[in-house]
Structures are given as structure tokens and as C-alpha cells.
Amino acid sequence: MAIVGNLFLKNASGSVGKELVFKRYYDKTVVSKMPDMSKRVLSAKQMESNERMRLATIYAKAWYKIEEERIKARIRLKLPAHKSLFHALVKEHLDMHRNQTLEEVNRNFSSEFPAKAQSITPNA
């Protein structure tokens, strides 16, 4: 890792290709190589959490896809204009299924979509 003092790179953050990563720590910018995540092993709980999040994202995309449904969802959730509807829909899905097993969530998944978006499946 190298600390960057260059004026052009001082506020840089993110990655360049799959080689370099620019990180910001308070007033310093650090350059490091891209971390190797190929050997990571997820626990069963992490995999379940990832699957729940994937289903919640599909749910939110289905509601977000149709303008009319977006307006209805914003009213139903009583969401102000400056708040993210997509994030609110993801939160709604996660909260609705908090006490259910992943199998129960998968079983009832397709019935939760608006009528116009029934073509979306959990495998999408």
C-alpha cells in the first residue's frame, strides 16, 4: 500500500480495472492491489442472507419497473419524494419475511408481484 500525496489523485476512490484500489481514510488516499476474494468461504447464514437480499432486489425491481406501480408503492409506503423508493421496497420485502424460513419465502415469492410484472421469476 502506498499513501498518495499527488494533488490529482488526492480525492480518488474506487478501482482501476481489476488491479488497483484507491481507498480514502480521513484525509489520506491509499493505493493498494485488488483483494483476492476467490478463496473466501461463506457460512450458511451468510448464504441465506445473500439469497434473501437477492429475492428482495427482484421484488423491488418488479414494482419499480412499472410507473403506475411505482406511484402506488410510494403512496402505500407513505414515502416522501426525497427518499429512495427502491430501498424502501427492498426493506419492505425483508421486513415482511423476517420470521419466515427461506423455503417459505421462495414458495410464496411469485404471488407478491404486481399483476403487470408476473413474468419475473426468482431465477431472473
Side-chain angles (χ1 to χ4, degrees), residues 48-88:
E48 180 180 340
S49 179
N50 287 351
E51 180 63 16
R52 285 181 183 271
M53 191 63 175
R54 187 182 75 82
L55 293 173
T57 303
I58 292 170
Y59 171 82
K61 283 181 181 180
W63 281 96
Y64 208 77
K65 193 177 193 179
I66 305 162
E67 178 72 29
E68 180 182 311
E69 297 297 335
R70 262 187 281 183
I71 295 167
K72 288 180 186 177
R74 189 170 286 279
I75 292 168
R76 176 173 45 87
L77 295 170
K78 298 179 181 136
L79 202 63
H82 68 280
K83 296 283 186 174
S84 169
L85 176 61
F86 188 83
H87 292 157

Side-chain angles (χ1 to χ4, degrees), residues 62-115:
W63 281 96
Y64 208 77
K65 193 177 193 179
I66 305 162
E67 178 72 29
E68 180 182 311
E69 297 297 335
R70 262 187 281 183
I71 295 167
K72 288 180 186 177
R74 189 170 286 279
I75 292 168
R76 176 173 45 87
L77 295 170
K78 298 179 181 136
L79 202 63
H82 68 280
K83 296 283 186 174
S84 169
L85 176 61
F86 188 83
H87 292 157
L89 289 168
V90 168
K91 182 182 183 320
E92 177 190 39
H93 187 270
L94 291 173
D95 289 346
M96 277 191 312
H97 301 292
R98 182 167 308 242
N99 298 323
Q100 292 180 342
T101 65
L102 192 55
E103 290 77 28
E104 292 171 333
V105 174
N106 275 325
R107 199 174 320 124
N108 301 326
F109 189 69
S110 61
S111 64
E112 299 172 352
F113 293 118

